[in-house]
Amino acid sequence: MTTASSADHPTRRDFLFVATGAFAAVGGAAALWPFISQMNPDASTIAAGAPIEVDLSPVAEGQDIKVFWRGKPIYISHRTKKQIDEARAVNVASLPDPQSDEARVKSGHEQWLVVIGICTHLGCIPIAHEGNYDGFFCPCHGSQYDSSGRIRQGPAPANLPVPPYQFVSDTKIQIG
Ligand code: FES
């Protein structure tokens, strides 16, 4: 169930919030965002670190969603072919934190990028689909990450971390 008014007209700013059980603890602002229900443990169990499952089927190509795991924002990007191609065309040796795109996604599911959405500089929350690399832009001090979540510009020293996760079906992942 998605109520994203922008779902029919994807834009660069498309960014759905996906509510997990843990999200209830985040605050009243949640009501303003599209809500996708998840079959997950209750909030206290998730806060304690239980794995969560996320259904990816409502996420259109070019869109991003945010879920919470262990109190951290997790960004899940349904990447376009252009984004994947751009991420793979980069000379890995030239990167501040060299890592191939292949090493940051699951083989056979290259369209899905899953990263912890906390800037590796001082911990701000980057914005998806912003910046010069069609990835993530951190407004605090200008760090820019590419469509693989790798740091490309600005003071952040490292790539956005990839949390432990696995595909439990073609359209569902388990994080944690
Ligand atoms: S916290 Fe992101 S650039 Fe400083």
Side-chain angles (χ1 to χ4, degrees):
M1 173 182 69
T2 176
T3 58
S5 59
S6 59
D8 295 330
H9 305 285
T11 70
R12 294 182 70 243
R13 289 181 177 274
D14 269 347
F15 197 90
L16 305 182
F17 260 109
V18 175
T20 68
F23 193 67
V26 173
L32 300 174
W33 294 91
F35 186 91
I36 299 176
S37 62
Q38 301 289 329
M39 295 296 290
N40 274 321
D42 66 31
S44 60
T45 307
I46 291 172
I52 59 169
E53 286 193 352
V54 182
D55 180 11
L56 304 177
S57 53
V59 187
E61 189 176 284
Q63 285 187 322
D64 303 83
I65 60 171
K66 179 193 286 184
V67 300
F68 285 87
W69 172 70
R70 292 190 174 180
K72 296 175 182 164
I74 306 293
Y75 289 178
I76 304 171
S77 298
H78 189 171
R79 304 189 299 176
T80 62
K81 182 176 185 308
K82 177 172 176 283
Q83 285 180 301
I84 298 169
D85 289 347
E86 285 171 354
R88 299 193 166 191
V90 172
N91 175 7
V92 172
S94 72
L95 297 172
D97 182 10
Q99 197 174 24
S100 70
D101 182 66
E102 287 84 346
R104 295 176 54 79
V105 298
K106 303 294 186 192
S107 178
H109 301 280
E110 291 80 6
Q111 70 271 44
W112 296 106
L113 177 74
V114 182
V115 293
I116 297 175
I118 299 176
C119 182
T120 60
H121 181 220
L122 293 176
C124 288
I125 307 296
I127 302 166
H129 280 280
E130 291 288 342
N132 296 335
Y133 303 93
D134 204 7
F136 305 87
F137 171 70
C138 182
C140 288
H141 313 96
S143 286
Q144 302 202 33
Y145 301 85
D146 65 15
S147 54
S148 191
R150 297 172 299 197
I151 184 63
R152 298 290 294 276
Q153 192 176 321
N159 303 332
L160 295 177
V162 176
Y165 75 97
Q166 60 181 331
F167 276 83
V168 294
S169 76
D170 260 359
T171 57
K172 189 176 285 187
I173 59 172
Q174 177 180 295
I175 302 172

